[in-house]
């Protein structure tokens, strides 16, 4: 109890920021190598220097500060710091080698690491620019904390708490370190599978690499201005759709599927995803056809299916121009984006598991009208029984998500943007989807860029850790000495009772 109401230890957080920077310096080395391959020597020097400075800072923090065991709140703070800090670090070399304004470069890096896909790309982007942001999306998809756990953190309490605040308490291996490495292996194998499929479809190697990185991470950056619409035929959009779905399924499910393939279809989140995709395709096709008739409806089905899956999985690829769509079509896609994919995947949004809980809760409320008051009716998802605390947490998150969306859309409306576009753009950012009506552009006001950055970060870390980071009580002691002694005495009594 004491650790939850006391302020965090800034030195402990800084010590593990050192771990984070050391791992992220290795992430910056990949664009450096790509720059050499692509013949962009100046960019290679910039990225190499940035990697060296980042690694040096990380080593200094680790050497100067003593070792600490992270408490839960400190692990939450580290989770909240990770994405904005790494975005700042990666924005410096991007701004230097592209000549972009720093805010635009920061926006691009936030969009990449949060796997969103909204872009403020310069007028003449280079191949290195496209690869770098695709690489950032891939790294952000697996989660930088997974890299830290898999590479630097030794097994113990700190590793468990870092894992818990990022992925919950479920594990597919005996230790959280082994679980993190297994999840990383699954992610890597899925990426190779996606790359192989795209190469077999005839997509050029460079494009295939960039799109595979962005599809499995459900990011959505493309090397083409028209996104996937630039590729003719049925095969490439279909394989991209398959890759998006693979990235939107919980990675912890894949080892189980290898033992029992039927586990895939028995998973309630997968069933909801497939059901929503089919139903959403039909409804979105209706909005696209505008009631023009069956032939027009059938003609729109391929694009409708691709766009619905892209929105639901939070990927953000497109085969059609979103800007001229009707308000009904934009509103429908906004709702689909907010749902998102499975918990434990790379997607954003509210997530399918929370949607299932809400549906089950509504069903339970109606069901209890026909039962005696004393009847016990637990809330269950598959075989998992949810306690009241879990339900409170889910409902709180949904309310916070809705409040952030409404506030963000309202700010956009104050700048004269119509309600459908404002809701669409902020839904896309908060759900880390990346679809755009054209509102997101280099010329948009700086405040709106910052609002979208905040939405992308809130959507990626799921709001609560970032809010805890900003609470004064997180950093400052506000209790009297008497209250502190009472809390410590209570903790001691609980420990004695437990013993």
């Amino acid at each position: 109890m004491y650790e939850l109401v006391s302020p965090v230890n800034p030195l402990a957080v800084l010590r593990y920021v050192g771990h984070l920077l050391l791992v992220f310096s290795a992430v910056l080395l990949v664009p450096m190598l790509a720059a050499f391959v692509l013949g962009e020597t100046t960019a290679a020097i910039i990225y190499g220097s940035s990697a060296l400075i980042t690694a040096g800072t990380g080593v200094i923090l680790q050497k100067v500060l003593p070792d600490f065991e992270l408490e839960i709140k400190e692990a939450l703070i580290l989770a909240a710091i990770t994405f904005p800090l790494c975005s700042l670090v990666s924005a410096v070399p991007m701004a230097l080698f592209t000549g972009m304004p720093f805010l635009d470069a920061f926006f691009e890096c936030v969009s990449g690491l949060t796997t969103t896909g909204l872009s403020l790309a310069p007028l003449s982007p280079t191949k290195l620019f496209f690869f770098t942001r695709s690489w950032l999306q891939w790294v952000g998809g697996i989660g930088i904390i997974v890299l830290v756990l898999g590479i630097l953190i030794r097994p113990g309490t700190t590793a468990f708490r870092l894992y818990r605040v990022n992925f919950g308490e479920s594990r597919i291996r005996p230790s959280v370190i082994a679980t993190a490495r297994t999840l990383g292996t699954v992610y890597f194998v899925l990426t190779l599978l996606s790359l192989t499929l795209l190469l077999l479809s005839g997509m050029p190697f460079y494009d295939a690499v960039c799109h595979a990185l962005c599809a499995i991470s459900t990011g959505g950056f493309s090397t083409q201005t028209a996104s996937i619409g630039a590729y003719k035929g049925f095969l490439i959009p279909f394989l991209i759709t398959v890759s998006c779905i693979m990235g939107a399924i919980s990675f912890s499910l894949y080892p189980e599927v290898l033992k029992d393939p039927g586990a895939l279809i028995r998973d309630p989140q997968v069933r909801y995803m497939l059901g929503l995709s089919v139903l959403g395709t039909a409804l979105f096709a209706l909005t696209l056809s505008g009631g023009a008739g069956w032939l027009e409806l059938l003609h729109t089905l391929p694009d409708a299916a691709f766009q619905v899956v892209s929105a639901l999985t939070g990927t953000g690829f497109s085969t059609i121009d979103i800007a001229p769509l009707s308000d009904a079509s934009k509103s429908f896609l906004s709702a689909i984006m907010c749902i998102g994919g499975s918990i434990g995947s790379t997607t954003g949004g509210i997530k399918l598991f929370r949607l299932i809980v809400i549906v089950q809760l509504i069903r339970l409320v109606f069901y209890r009208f026909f039962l005696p008051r004393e009847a016990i009716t637990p809330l269950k998802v598959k075989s998992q029984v949810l306690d009241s605390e879990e339900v409170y947490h889910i409902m709180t998150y949904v309310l916070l998500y809705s409040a952030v969306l409404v506030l963000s859309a309202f700010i956009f409306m104050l700048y004269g943007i119509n309600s459908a576009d404002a809701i669409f753009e902020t839904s896309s950012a908060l759900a880390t989807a990346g679809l755009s009506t054209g509102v997101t552009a280099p010329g948009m006001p700086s405040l709106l860029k910052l609002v979208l950055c905040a939405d992308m970060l809130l959507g990626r870390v799921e709001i609560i850790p970032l809010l805890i980071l900003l609470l004064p009580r997180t950093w400052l002691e506000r209790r009297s000495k008497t209250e502190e002694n009472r809390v410590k005495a209570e903790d001691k009594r609980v420990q004695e009772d437990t013993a």
Side-chain angles (χ1 to χ4, degrees):
M1 178 179 177
Y2 177 68
E3 70 170 70
L4 296 178
V5 297
S6 62
V8 300
N9 181 351
L11 295 181
V13 175
L14 276 176
R15 162 84 183 187
Y16 285 91
V17 165
H19 286 288
L20 176 66
L21 291 175
L22 196 56
V23 170
F24 198 72
S25 66
V27 171
L28 295 176
L29 290 176
V30 174
M32 181 194 74
L33 295 174
F36 277 122
V37 171
L38 295 170
E40 299 189 37
T41 308
T42 303
I45 295 171
I46 291 171
Y47 270 102
S49 303
S50 298
L52 188 62
I53 293 169
T54 303
T57 305
V59 170
I60 290 171
L61 289 174
Q62 289 185 54
K63 296 294 184 183
V64 170
L65 298 174
D67 200 3
F68 294 94
E69 287 286 358
L70 285 184
E71 304 293 354
I72 287 293
K73 187 184 288 187
E74 288 156 1
L76 278 170
I77 295 304
L78 192 63
I81 286 174
T82 296
F83 286 94
L85 176 62
C86 291
S87 297
L88 279 171
V89 170
S90 53
V92 174
M94 180 172 282
L96 290 174
F97 94 83
T98 61
M100 297 171 68
F102 185 79
L103 179 57
D104 289 11
F106 176 69
F107 182 101
E108 203 76 19
C109 293
V110 169
S111 185
L113 286 169
T114 59
T115 71
T116 304
L118 292 172
S119 181
L120 300 178
L123 290 177
S124 301
T126 64
K127 282 190 171 184
L128 178 63
F129 173 80
F130 285 132
F131 172 79
T132 300
R133 65 181 195 171
S134 299
W135 168 246
L136 289 177
Q137 283 200 328
W138 191 81
V139 170
I142 188 58
I144 302 160
I145 294 297
V146 167
L147 299 178
V148 173
L149 284 171
I151 298 171
L152 289 181
I153 303 295
R154 63 181 182 271
T157 304
T158 292
F160 173 75
R161 286 171 176 165
L162 279 174
Y163 180 89
R164 179 183 168 190
V165 300
N166 284 274
F167 308 104
E169 298 196 18
S170 61
R171 287 177 282 177
I172 56 178
R173 292 289 182 268
S175 73
V176 295
I177 300 293
T179 298
R181 288 172 180 167
T182 300
L183 293 175
T185 302
V186 169
Y187 191 59
F188 184 73
V189 170
L190 290 177
T191 306
L192 286 182
L193 178 58
S194 176
L195 175 60
T196 302
L197 291 174
L198 292 177
L199 288 173
L200 291 175
S201 73
M203 185 180 281
F205 179 77
Y206 170 79
D207 287 7
V209 169
C210 291
H211 284 97
L213 293 175
C214 296
I216 291 299
S217 64
T218 60
F221 278 141
S222 177
T223 58
Q224 306 295 324
T225 304
S227 190
I228 307 304
Y231 299 98
K232 304 302 180 185
F234 169 79
L235 186 57
I236 288 178
F238 173 74
L239 293 177
I240 289 286
T241 301
V242 171
S243 298
C244 296
I245 292 173
M246 289 193 299
I249 294 172
S250 175
F251 291 161
S252 61
L253 185 62
Y254 284 102
E256 186 179 346
V257 170
L258 288 177
K259 300 174 185 177
D260 176 17
L264 183 66
I265 201 64
R266 288 196 301 270
D267 183 78
Q269 294 188 92
V270 173
R271 292 206 303 269
Y272 262 70
M273 186 190 303
L274 295 176
L276 286 170
S277 297
V278 173
L279 179 61
T281 296
L283 293 176
F284 188 55
L286 283 174
T287 68
L288 288 178
S289 64
W294 285 104
L295 287 177
E296 181 64 24
L297 181 65
L298 291 173
H299 178 71
T300 61
L301 277 177
D303 285 332
F306 182 91
Q307 219 54 70
V308 166
V309 172
S310 179
L312 181 62
T313 59
T315 308
F317 288 128
S318 60
T319 55
I320 57 176
D321 186 5
I322 304 295
L325 295 183
S326 66
D327 286 354
S329 295
K330 292 175 183 176
S331 299
F332 183 80
L333 285 180
S334 297
I336 287 290
M337 285 189 292
C338 287
I339 293 173
S342 300
I343 282 182
S345 69
T346 61
T347 60
I350 291 171
K351 301 284 194 339
L352 288 166
F353 181 79
R354 295 189 180 102
L355 175 66
I356 294 169
V357 170
I358 293 170
V359 170
Q360 292 293 88
L361 184 60
I362 294 170
R363 173 183 167 275
L364 189 59
V365 168
F366 282 96
Y367 187 56
R368 284 195 60 84
F369 279 109
F370 302 96
L371 294 174
R373 182 180 292 272
E374 63 273 12
I376 299 175
T377 51
L379 181 61
K380 296 175 66 176
V381 176
K382 202 176 179 181
S383 59
Q384 179 183 352
V385 177
L386 279 77
D387 59 31
S388 57
E389 185 176 349
E390 290 176 286
V391 177
Y392 295 153
H393 192 278
I394 288 169
M395 298 309 296
T396 299
Y397 178 75
V398 172
L399 288 173
L400 286 173
Y401 190 98
S402 303
V404 171
L405 178 59
V406 169
L407 177 60
S408 302
F410 178 70
I411 294 173
F412 270 70
M413 292 177 203
L414 290 177
Y415 277 80
I417 297 167
N418 69 70
S419 58
D421 286 353
I423 293 171
F424 188 95
E425 217 74 11
T426 51
S427 295
S428 182
L430 191 57
T432 67
L435 292 170
S436 177
T437 61
V439 172
T440 301
M444 72 189 300
S446 296
L447 177 60
L448 298 188
K449 294 177 184 177
L450 291 172
V451 168
L452 290 181
C453 284
D455 285 344
M456 291 186 282
L457 291 168
L458 286 167
R460 185 63 178 86
V461 301
E462 298 205 330
I463 300 177
I464 291 175
L466 267 179
L467 293 184
I468 291 175
L469 173 67
L470 299 175
L471 287 174
R473 193 166 182 174
T474 301
W475 305 98
L476 302 173
E477 176 63 80
R478 290 203 168 191
R479 293 172 304 152
S480 65
K481 197 69 178 176
T482 302
E483 183 184 2
E484 181 179 325
N485 291 334
R486 181 184 62 77
V487 171
K488 287 182 177 179
E490 178 68 19
D491 279 351
K492 184 177 179 181
R493 185 187 64 79
V494 170
Q495 291 171 4
E496 289 173 352
D497 290 347
T498 304

